[in-house]
C-alpha cells in the first residue's frame, strides 16, 4: 500500500492594530473604545456649573468731585455790551481768585452777547462771586450770576430735562412777540438779553420739537406793556442774531 504524505500548512492568525485599546484572548479579540469627556466639560466633573440668567455686571460710578470745573464755573449774564474780558476779570477778581474769565461774542457781528463765564480756583471763590455780584447793577443793568444757568453750547447736546424746565417756567402775557427764523444755537437767555434792550422782558422761550432738544426755529418773548412790544418789533425785526435775520411780530 502506498503512503501519501500531505504537507501541513501552518496558518498564523493576523492581528490588526486599532487606535483604540484592545483586549485579546485565545478565542476572540474585542475592541474596547476609550471614551474621554469633552474639553468644555472636563473641568466641570470636579465642580458644579451654575448658570445665572440675565446676570449683568454693573460698575459703581465714583462720586462727583465737588471741586470739578463745572462746580467752579460761574455764569454772568445781562452785562452791558461795553464790558470786555479785562473789565469782567477785574470785576470778578474783586471777590475771588479766577483761572479764566471770558465774555462771549457773536461770531458774525463781533458784538458782545451780554454774558460771560468765569472759572474760579475754588468752589468758595465761585460762591463768593455769586453772593457779591448777583443782583448788582452795572450801567443800569441788573447782573445775573449763578452756577447752573448758562447758555447751551452748540457743540454739545443740551440737557432735555433742563429745556423742559425752562419751557414750564415760561410766563405768558397778552403783550407777546413771535420771533422766527432763529438759528439752532439761539437759547432762551439770548432772547432775553437781546429783547431787554428795548423793553422790560417778562419771559422768553425757544420752541423745541416735542420730545427732543432740537430747536423748532422760533420762540416767544413776553413784555409788561404794549409799548415795549411795539418798540421791540420796530427795532429788532430783520436784525441779526447768531448770523441770521430774525422776524419779529405780534404773537
Amino acid at each position: 500500500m502506498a503512503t501519501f504524505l500531505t504537507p501541513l500548512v501552518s496558518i498564523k492568525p493576523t492581528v490588526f492594530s486599532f487606535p483604540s485599546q484592545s483586549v485579546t484572548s485565545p478565542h476572540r479579540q474585542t475592541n474596547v473604545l476609550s471614551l474621554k469627556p469633552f474639553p468644555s466639560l472636563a473641568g466641570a466633573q470636579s465642580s458644579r456649573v451654575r448658570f445665572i440668567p440675565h446676570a449683568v455686571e454693573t460698575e459703581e460710578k465714583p462720586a462727583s468731585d465737588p471741586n470739578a470745573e463745572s462746580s467752579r464755573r460761574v455764569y454772568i449774564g445781562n452785562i452791558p455790551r461795553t464790558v470786555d474780558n479785562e473789565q469782567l476779570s477785574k470785576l470778578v477778581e474783586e471777590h475771588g481768585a479766577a483761572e479764566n474769565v471770558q465774555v462771549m461774542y457773536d461770531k458774525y457781528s463781533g458784538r458782545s452777547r451780554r454774558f460771560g463765564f468765569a472759572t474760579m480756583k475754588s468752589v468758595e471763590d465761585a460762591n463768593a462771586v455769586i453772593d457779591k455780584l448777583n443782583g448788582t447793577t452795572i450801567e443800569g443793568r441788573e447782573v445775573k450770576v449763578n452756577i447752573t444757568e448758562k447758555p447751551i453750547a452748540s457743540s454739545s447736546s443740551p440737557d432735555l430735562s433742563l429745556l423742559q424746565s425752562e419751557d414750564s417756567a415760561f410766563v405768558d402775557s397778552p403783550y407777546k412777540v413771535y420771533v422766527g427764523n432763529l438759528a439752532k444755537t439761539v437759547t432762551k437767555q439770548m432772547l432775553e438779553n437781546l429783547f431787554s434792550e428795548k423793553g422790560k422782558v417778562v419771559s422768553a422761550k425757544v420752541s423745541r420739537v416735542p420730545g427732543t432738544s432740537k430747536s423748532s426755529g422760533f420762540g416767544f418773548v413776553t413784555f409788561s406793556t404794549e409799548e415795549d412790544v411795539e418798540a421791540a418789533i420796530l427795532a429788532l425785526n430783520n436784525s441779526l442774531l447768531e448770523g441770521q435775520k430774525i422776524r419779529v411780530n405780534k404773537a
Side-chain angles (χ1 to χ4, degrees):
M1 178 181 295
T3 303
F4 295 96
L5 297 177
T6 303
L8 296 178
V9 180
S10 177
I11 301 175
K12 295 183 179 180
T14 302
V15 179
F16 295 92
S17 177
F18 293 91
S20 59
Q21 295 178 355
S22 61
V23 178
T24 58
S25 68
H27 304 286
R28 65 177 181 176
Q29 177 176 332
T30 304
N31 291 331
V32 179
L33 298 179
S34 177
L35 300 178
K36 294 183 179 180
F38 290 104
S40 60
L41 298 178
Q45 291 178 341
S46 59
S47 61
R48 295 182 178 179
V49 179
R50 298 178 62 189
F51 296 95
I52 304 176
H54 309 296
V56 179
E57 183 178 355
T58 58
E59 181 179 355
E60 184 178 353
K61 295 182 179 180
S64 58
D65 183 4
N67 290 317
E69 182 176 331
S70 59
S71 302
R72 298 180 285 110
R73 193 168 188 247
V74 178
Y75 165 79
I76 307 169
N78 203 35
I79 58 178
R81 293 195 190 278
T82 55
V83 174
D84 57 19
N85 289 336
E86 183 179 357
Q87 292 172 319
L88 188 60
S89 296
K90 290 180 179 179
L91 182 66
V92 168
E93 290 176 344
E94 291 178 3
H95 309 291
E99 290 182 355
N100 181 50
V101 180
Q102 185 178 16
V103 175
M104 306 305 293
Y105 291 90
D106 187 286
K107 61 182 178 180
Y108 299 100
S109 67
R111 295 199 308 169
S112 167
R113 292 165 65 182
R114 292 194 183 279
F115 68 89
F117 297 99
T119 303
M120 310 306 293
K121 289 190 175 180
S122 68
V123 174
E124 291 74 20
D125 288 331
N127 290 333
V129 170
I130 294 171
D131 292 339
K132 299 297 183 181
L133 292 182
N134 187 42
T136 60
T137 302
I138 302 177
E139 297 182 15
R141 304 184 68 86
E142 184 177 338
V143 179
K144 298 179 181 179
V145 186
N146 53 54
I147 294 287
T148 58
E149 184 182 356
K150 54 191 176 186
I152 302 164
S154 59
S155 60
S156 61
S157 299
D159 181 62
L160 184 57
S161 61
L162 175 61
L163 297 177
Q164 291 172 340
S165 175
E166 288 182 353
D167 187 67
S168 62
F170 176 73
V171 179
D172 208 346
S173 164
Y175 311 113
K176 180 167 63 175
V177 297
Y178 163 88
V179 190
N181 198 37
L182 293 179
K184 300 302 181 182
T185 54
V186 172
T187 64
K188 165 183 176 289
Q189 190 67 47
M190 292 181 192
L191 289 180
E192 288 182 350
N193 290 341
L194 179 64
F195 282 85
S196 62
E197 298 175 10
K198 306 304 174 184
K200 185 177 181 181
V201 172
V202 174
S203 190
K205 74 172 181 178
V206 175
S207 179
R208 306 281 171 180
V209 177
T212 74
S213 59
K214 184 179 180 181
S215 170
S216 296
F218 66 90
F220 299 95
V221 181
T222 55
F223 297 89
S224 56
T225 67
E226 183 66 26
E227 289 75 15
D228 290 338
V229 170
E230 297 293 344
I233 294 173
L234 183 63
L236 297 176
N237 187 39
N238 290 323
S239 63
L240 284 176
L241 179 60
E242 290 290 282
Q244 291 188 190
K245 281 187 176 183
I246 59 174
R247 298 192 304 271
V248 184
N249 53 273
K250 288 184 179 180

